[in-house]
Amino acid sequence: MISSTLVLTNAVQAQESLSIVYPPAGHETTAEQIFIIGTSPPTQELLINGQKIKRSPQGHFAPSFPLRLGENTFTLQAGSQEQKVTVSRISSQPIMTTGVAFAEGSLTPAVDIARLPGELICFSAIASPNAQVSVRLPNKSLTLSAQPELVQLPPNSAVLIAENQPTTTEISSYQGCSSFATIGNLGIPQFEISLDGKQKTQPGTGAIAILTPDNLQVIEVIADRGVARTGPSTNYSRLTPLPKGTRASVTGKEGEWLRLDYGAWIKASETQPIASKVPPRSLIRSITSRKLPNATEIIFPLQIPVPVKVHQEDQKITLTLYNTTAQTDTIRLDDDPLIQRLDWQQVDPTTIAYTFHLKTAQQSGYDLRYEGTSLIFSLRHPPQPSSNSSLPLQGIKILLDPGHGGSELGARGPNGYPEKEMNLVISRLLEKDLQKLGATVYLTRNSDRDLSLKERMTAIDNIKPDLAISIHYNALPDAGDAENTQGISTFWYHPQAHDFAVFLHNYLVTKLNRPSYGVFWNNLALTRPHSAPSILLELGFAINPWEFEWITNPQEQKRLSNAIAEGIVEYLGRK
């Protein structure tokens, strides 16, 4: 096994040749600028398109340049060495055709959809300005109105570079909505455009069907945790995952997505239809609980596994059951190390909210599963601080996840050194530091190998550590400023991880005197596990020439590892 010190020494040595790490050959982007990352002999001047470039002491560089639409060529010169890199900037706007026509791929609905009778269905198209646009279906024709401007939202990643404001364009967008009472398959809508006496008809790409309300399909979730979302694509936000066995009626369809009766959407591939057409509904009567060594389980006996939602707040957690009506007179909940009291209310005729008031503000994780038709809601007890001052983490389980690995390189430093190696080096150092403090430490990988996100998440759920930390180093989207962006950033998802994320972030920034890039709520695979407080650390920007030299300095790595371990001790000691 190669030692960490040897890996780092090789990683930071000065380069004798000009090397470009980013952008790759043939790179295309919609960004208005691009950074060029690489390294060159530090004793020789570096020019890009004749402009002298600032570099770090070891010759690393990451300047940004504006891009015009089309091809942009950059010539890099260092002494007698020369390299060229070409970047193509493509438009983020829909491709318009000339004449009387619709923009390519602009007709919506773009996939087959199904809705309930009386529900609004919206149509849209992008077409030539000043046109008359309509859509035809059996027994109905709908005029689409021209919109004065099209407001576009940037991708979620734009918040990372503080450029997440909406933008407006003067694209000619036409929109309209209507409801349909006729049950059955209405077929593919026909879009019509008229301009200057010319007409064109173009079929849409998605058929429309109206569902029969008293004969809705019923599905059962077959995934271990069915991914529920606010809308019919992975662009929409996640909701509480649905435990395997959950049943619900389908009230809408859109492409490969199903809308369930409580409002969430789920991929059809994570479900299977069942023979029953009876809407899944359940009564609930008595509720019991049982204490395990490290958790309390509350058992909700139901007639059918119903959809659920979990909502965390300070010193309380609320479990909502849908399609359920209470006939409850008795609940048994003895004095518990975590739960102070359980309150419940019938929010509406088929929705019940159970609120658990807790004895501590810090929550340590929860699990949901069905055993037959009974829902088991498990609340983990908080870790108990050690009384051994020389081993303050004794009895504490900590999972470390060195990000990326194997064929997945992650970000790369200016000399090509991959993030996967940086992550593993720090995780090994941190493992030793935590073990010296008494912790039991688990690594999702301790070598350079491929490891899927699902495998990493499963490790957290199986081990159920007291804390889970995913270790990473950062990069930026093309529009970012790689040369001038540095700092530590920390990511959390569930409220139970927020306090830990903020504390450790502030501790590292202060202790190491490093820039803060911020604390973010983020829907990341390694922040989503709810069986333990899980955070993701981005410990610096691998693509920044100067921060890269700090990242790959063996002495600074040891300081960083020590600071993380000390921060964990300080955090747990406050509880």
Side-chain angles (χ1 to χ4, degrees):
M1 181 181 293
I2 299 174
S3 70
S4 299
T5 301
L6 179 58
V7 170
L8 289 174
T9 300
N10 289 338
V12 300
Q13 63 186 7
Q15 299 292 304
E16 296 302 320
S17 61
L18 172 62
S19 172
I20 301 172
V21 171
Y22 190 88
H27 184 61
E28 293 185 344
T29 181
T30 59
E32 296 180 358
Q33 68 177 32
I34 192 73
F35 43 73
I36 301 176
I37 300 174
T39 189
S40 64
T43 57
Q44 296 178 340
E45 185 177 70
L46 174 68
L47 303 177
I48 299 183
N49 287 355
Q51 175 184 335
K52 184 177 179 179
I53 300 303
K54 182 172 65 171
R55 291 176 298 159
S56 70
Q58 293 173 4
H60 307 314
F61 57 86
S64 291
F65 295 92
L67 295 174
R68 64 179 184 275
L69 287 172
E71 284 195 354
N72 298 260
T73 300
F74 301 93
T75 302
L76 289 77
Q77 293 177 306
S80 61
Q81 301 180 68
E82 179 178 297
Q83 289 194 37
K84 293 182 183 290
V85 59
T86 299
V87 178
S88 295
R89 179 185 164 197
I90 57 177
S91 175
S92 60
Q93 306 302 323
I95 299 174
M96 293 294 298
T97 54
T98 58
V100 181
F102 295 105
E104 182 180 336
S106 71
L107 304 183
T108 65
V111 295
D112 293 350
I113 69 170
R115 295 291 188 269
L116 294 171
E119 187 175 353
L120 277 180
I121 297 177
C122 293
F123 305 85
S124 66
I126 294 173
S128 308
N130 305 314
Q132 289 77 49
V133 177
S134 63
V135 62
R136 277 192 297 108
L137 280 159
N139 302 319
K140 181 164 285 192
S141 179
L142 174 66
T143 299
L144 305 188
S145 303
Q147 306 302 304
E149 58 186 13
L150 184 64
V151 178
Q152 294 180 314
L153 294 177
N156 276 294
S157 60
V159 73
L160 301 175
I161 55 174
E163 294 185 1
N164 64 327
Q165 296 303 310
T167 58
T168 59
T169 65
E170 295 182 357
I171 289 175
S172 299
S173 173
Y174 299 83
Q175 300 175 20
C177 301
S178 184
S179 60
F180 298 83
T182 303
I183 292 172
N185 190 351
L186 305 184
I188 295 176
Q190 301 294 313
F191 289 81
E192 296 180 346
I193 180 172
S194 299
L195 179 65
D196 298 331
K198 298 179 181 179
Q199 289 187 326
K200 182 177 181 179
T201 299
Q202 182 174 325
T205 55
I208 295 173
I210 304 301
L211 301 173
T212 306
D214 56 0
N215 192 33
L216 296 176
Q217 182 186 63
V218 177
I219 58 88
E220 177 177 293
V221 175
I222 57 174
D224 287 336
R225 291 180 177 85
V227 180
R229 293 185 179 272
T230 57
S233 84
T234 55
N235 291 328
Y236 286 91
S237 300
R238 288 176 178 254
L239 300 170
T240 300
L242 297 177
K244 187 175 183 179
T246 300
R247 292 188 177 187
S249 297
V250 175
T251 63
K253 298 180 181 180
E254 190 153 332
E256 61 179 341
W257 294 83
L258 307 177
R259 186 180 62 191
L260 305 184
D261 49 22
Y262 79 110
W265 292 79
I266 189 171
K267 273 189 176 180
S269 59
E270 295 193 345
T271 72
Q272 66 180 10
I274 63 175
S276 175
K277 296 290 185 179
V278 178
R281 297 289 184 269
S282 180
L283 299 173
I284 186 167
R285 292 176 181 165
S286 61
I287 298 168
T288 58
S289 64
R290 59 192 176 212
K291 277 185 260 186
L292 305 179
N294 298 308
T296 299
E297 291 189 339
I298 302 91
I299 300 98
F300 298 84
L302 297 163
Q303 296 169 302
I304 288 175
V306 298
V308 298
K309 180 182 75 174
V310 174
H311 177 68
Q312 290 180 308
E313 298 179 73
D314 289 343
Q315 289 201 273
K316 63 182 179 180
I317 184 168
T318 299
L319 171 69
T320 300
L321 304 185
Y322 296 95
N323 301 335
T324 306
T325 303
Q327 292 184 346
T328 301
D329 283 334
T330 306
I331 296 175
R332 177 169 182 175
L333 182 63
D334 297 338
D335 186 33
D336 186 82
L338 176 63
I339 303 170
Q340 179 176 318
R341 190 178 76 248
L342 168 60
D343 295 333
W344 70 273
Q345 62 172 325
Q346 188 85 43
V347 178
D348 61 43
T350 60
T351 305
I352 308 176
Y354 296 91
T355 300
F356 295 84
H357 300 270
L358 307 178
K359 294 179 178 178
T360 174
Q362 179 58 42
Q363 298 175 36
S364 300
Y366 69 87
D367 280 314
L368 282 167
R369 71 182 187 276
Y370 276 107
E371 292 183 357
T373 62
S374 290
L375 178 66
I376 313 299
F377 186 40
S378 178
L379 295 174
R380 294 187 59 198
H381 299 160
Q384 297 302 310
S386 171
S387 58
N388 187 339
S389 58
S390 62
L391 296 172
L393 297 181
Q394 191 172 52
I396 300 297
K397 295 193 298 183
I398 298 174
L399 181 141
L400 302 177
D401 171 54
H404 307 290
S407 60
E408 189 178 330
L409 303 180
R412 289 195 294 164
N415 64 358
Y417 186 58
E419 180 197 347
K420 65 175 184 175
E421 295 290 346
M422 306 176 206
N423 298 337
L424 188 56
V425 167
I426 286 298
S427 296
R428 286 172 175 165
L429 290 173
L430 182 54
E431 176 188 27
K432 293 177 182 178
D433 284 339
L434 292 171
Q435 287 172 339
K436 289 176 183 177
L437 296 168
T440 301
V441 184
Y442 304 84
L443 265 66
T444 56
R445 67 178 181 95
N446 55 20
S447 62
D448 182 20
R449 66 185 184 91
D450 288 298
L451 191 67
S452 70
L453 293 176
K454 183 177 180 180
E455 289 174 306
R456 298 168 195 265
M457 297 168 70
T458 298
I460 295 175
D461 289 332
N462 289 343
I463 293 169
K464 292 183 172 54
D466 297 299
L467 297 171
I469 306 172
S470 190
I471 303 292
H472 287 258
Y473 286 91
N474 221 340
L476 288 169
D478 285 344
D481 184 354
E483 186 177 69
N484 296 302
T485 302
Q486 298 189 41
I488 294 170
S489 51
T490 308
F491 298 81
W492 62 280
Y493 182 70
H494 294 288
Q496 65 191 19
H498 173 259
D499 191 38
F500 177 44
V502 172
F503 181 89
L504 188 58
H505 179 87
N506 291 342
Y507 188 90
L508 295 178
V509 166
T510 302
K511 185 81 172 180
L512 300 171
N513 192 29
R514 298 302 300 171
S516 169
Y517 193 64
V519 178
F520 299 85
W521 178 91
N522 205 340
N523 172 24
L524 300 170
L526 271 299
T527 60
R528 284 199 300 269
H530 50 65
S531 55
S534 304
I535 67 171
L536 186 146
L537 293 175
E538 296 277 7
L539 292 168
F541 280 83
I543 61 176
N544 179 281
W546 292 267
E547 191 153 56
F548 176 69
E549 294 184 10
W550 174 80
I551 287 170
T552 50
N553 181 307
Q555 288 71 38
E556 294 299 332
Q557 288 287 350
K558 291 176 182 178
R559 287 186 64 228
L560 173 59
S561 174
N562 290 338
I564 296 173
E566 292 168 2
I568 290 172
V569 171
E570 291 274 347
Y571 171 74
L572 293 176
R574 303 182 315 152
K575 301 302 161 189

